Every structure is written in C-alpha cells, then in structure tokens.
Amino acid sequence: MTAIDLNADLGEGFGRWRLTDDEQLLSVVTSANVACGFHAGDAATMRRVCELAAECGVTIGAQVSYRDLAGFGRRGMDVPPAELAAEVAYQIGALEVFARAAGSRVAYVKPHGALYNRVVHDEEQAAAVVDGVLLADGSLPVLGLPGSRVLELAAKAGLPAVTEAFADRAYTDEGTLVPRDREGAVVTDPDAVVERSLSLARSGAVLAHSGARIHVRARSLCLHGDTPGAVELARRVRERLVTDGVRVEAFA
C-alpha cells in the first residue's frame, strides 16, 4: 500500500496574534512543522503546540528559518554560514525543550520560506543548515524539495533526507516551486488541490505551471495552514487519500 505523510506549518503566531488553526490541523496531519521563533512563534506558542501535538500523536518537527519576524521568513537574506548554522541549532534546541516537556521530541527539521527556497540551489547556505542540524542532533531527518542541495548534503553527512511535495503550489518544469510573487504560484481551487494530492501520493506526477507533466517523488505532502479554508481542505485531502487506499502515516 502506498504511504504518505501529511505535514503542515503550525505555531505561526506571536503574542496575541495567531495565523494557523493549530488545534484543528493537528486532528488531520501526521507531522507538525513548528515555527521556532525566527519567522513566527514564541515560547508560549511553541509550548502549546508541542503539548497539543503530543496529545494528538502528531510527530513534531522544527521549522527553522532566517531571523525575519517582520517578513515572516519570506525575505531573502545573506547570513554568514557559521552564524546560520548556530541559529539553526538554536531553533532546534529551543523547540526540543518544549517537545520533551510534552513527552515527545523533535523528530525532524524543515527549513521555512526564503531559507527553504535558497537551500535548493545554494551550496553554502545548504551546508550551513546541515551543519546546524548536526550541531543540534546528528540523527535528525531533513525534510525538503526533491533534488535540493540541502538534501544531497544531508545524505552525505549521514542524515536521513526526506522529500516532500506541495499540492497547493505551482511547479516549474524543473520541479522547483514557482516564486510566490508570480501569478498562479498558489493553487487556490480546492478540487484541484485534492486531485493533485492524490496524484502526488499515488504516482508522484503533477502538472507544472506550464502544463507539462512532471514527476515529484515525495514521502511527505505539505498542507499549508495559512490559507483560507485550510482546515477543511486538509480534511478533504486526507479523506480522499484514505478512500483511494493511501496509508497516511508519519515518516519519522
């Protein structure tokens, strides 16, 4: 039976402000990418989400990013490699405190936003992320885009490299994500997202922005939690996968 993990970005709030419906999404997903305070999240939010995830049996992952609260981690930055490695380790360590207090642990790492896209091709920044993961825990899987430099370097360093796909993001013919500032970068039709999810899980195939059919082999499927109707859409995706014989389970 085909198996797929469903992950979502959670804990994306700060103080009194909340972006994601963490409670409801945790009833659907199998892995939670928890913001670690650099693009979103604060100590109280991290603790709350870890406790909820542990209660729901959802795997906890550290979503690390550039230090960019104002830009939600989606602005490009040039951070010296040694500094970036230290900041990645710092974010993982902070989340680990709350995960362990909740009776769980940080089980994987996923870059966020601009950092996620940067380490697809940038060797230096990708190596810094891997160095940061190794500094925090030399056994943590790294979740990222298939064919990305960060996954290649993670595998060379002995870290499990786990691929993921996005049903609600447009792809280029090369298998990378269409930048968010381009028209059509985000797939907004719920029916299309559900069908793309099933296709990615069953065959790894999806239509690129150009209309070309490309292959994106992934062990995890990301469901964005910051879009309107995110919870209902996530439920529809999971129900369709299960109905069509896909086993939904965490990869870590």
Side-chain angles (χ1 to χ4, degrees):
M1 181 184 289
T2 301
I4 195 78
D5 169 63
L6 296 180
N7 77 76
D9 302 344
L10 301 178
E12 293 185 329
F14 195 84
R16 297 177 62 185
W17 171 70
R18 289 192 189 183
L19 180 62
T20 50
D21 189 341
D22 299 323
E23 290 83 354
Q24 293 301 313
L25 283 168
L26 283 167
S27 70
V28 180
V29 300
T30 47
S31 295
N33 317 315
V34 184
C36 298
F38 273 37
H39 74 280
D42 55 27
T45 301
M46 292 161 67
R47 181 180 183 181
R48 176 178 57 83
V49 175
C50 284
E51 290 174 347
L52 289 170
E55 290 173 8
C56 295
V58 173
T59 298
I60 296 171
Q63 186 160 45
V64 299
S65 74
Y66 288 126
R67 189 188 293 270
D68 181 28
L69 275 176
F72 196 58
R74 288 180 174 162
R75 298 184 294 189
M77 294 185 170
D78 291 317
V79 181
E83 182 178 339
L84 180 57
E87 291 191 339
V88 166
Y90 178 92
Q91 292 174 78
I92 297 168
L95 187 65
E96 177 71 6
V97 169
F98 299 117
R100 288 198 175 276
S104 185
R105 64 185 179 90
V106 171
Y108 66 94
V109 178
K110 175 183 173 178
H112 165 82
L115 182 59
Y116 184 96
N117 291 313
R118 181 77 171 267
V119 297
V120 171
H121 299 297
D122 190 310
E123 177 100 11
E124 186 176 67
Q125 295 283 279
V129 169
V130 172
D131 287 344
V133 177
L134 290 170
L135 182 60
D137 184 332
S139 65
L140 288 176
V142 178
L143 183 62
L145 206 67
S148 62
R149 294 299 295 142
V150 71
L151 291 191
E152 292 176 15
L153 294 174
K156 287 182 180 179
L159 299 172
V162 183
T163 55
E164 74 168 337
F166 298 81
D168 62 352
R169 289 295 309 278
Y171 281 89
T172 67
D173 289 358
E174 293 72 38
T176 57
L177 299 179
V178 173
R180 280 182 174 268
D181 59 359
R182 294 188 188 175
E183 184 176 355
V186 179
V187 180
T188 57
D189 179 5
D191 292 335
V193 174
V194 172
E195 292 304 319
R196 286 163 65 91
S197 298
L198 182 61
S199 180
L200 284 164
R202 295 296 295 270
S203 65
V206 68
L207 291 181
H209 193 48
S210 66
R213 184 179 176 86
I214 63 172
H215 288 276
V216 183
R217 293 290 182 183
R219 177 63 182 85
S220 186
L221 185 65
C222 181
L223 305 174
H224 281 107
D226 60 346
T227 54
V231 173
E232 181 56 32
L233 181 56
R235 288 198 179 107
R236 285 188 58 190
V237 167
R238 178 159 185 160
E239 288 171 1
R240 181 61 187 278
L241 292 172
V242 172
T243 298
D244 279 69
V246 177
R247 187 172 69 252
V248 179
E249 64 181 18
F251 66 83

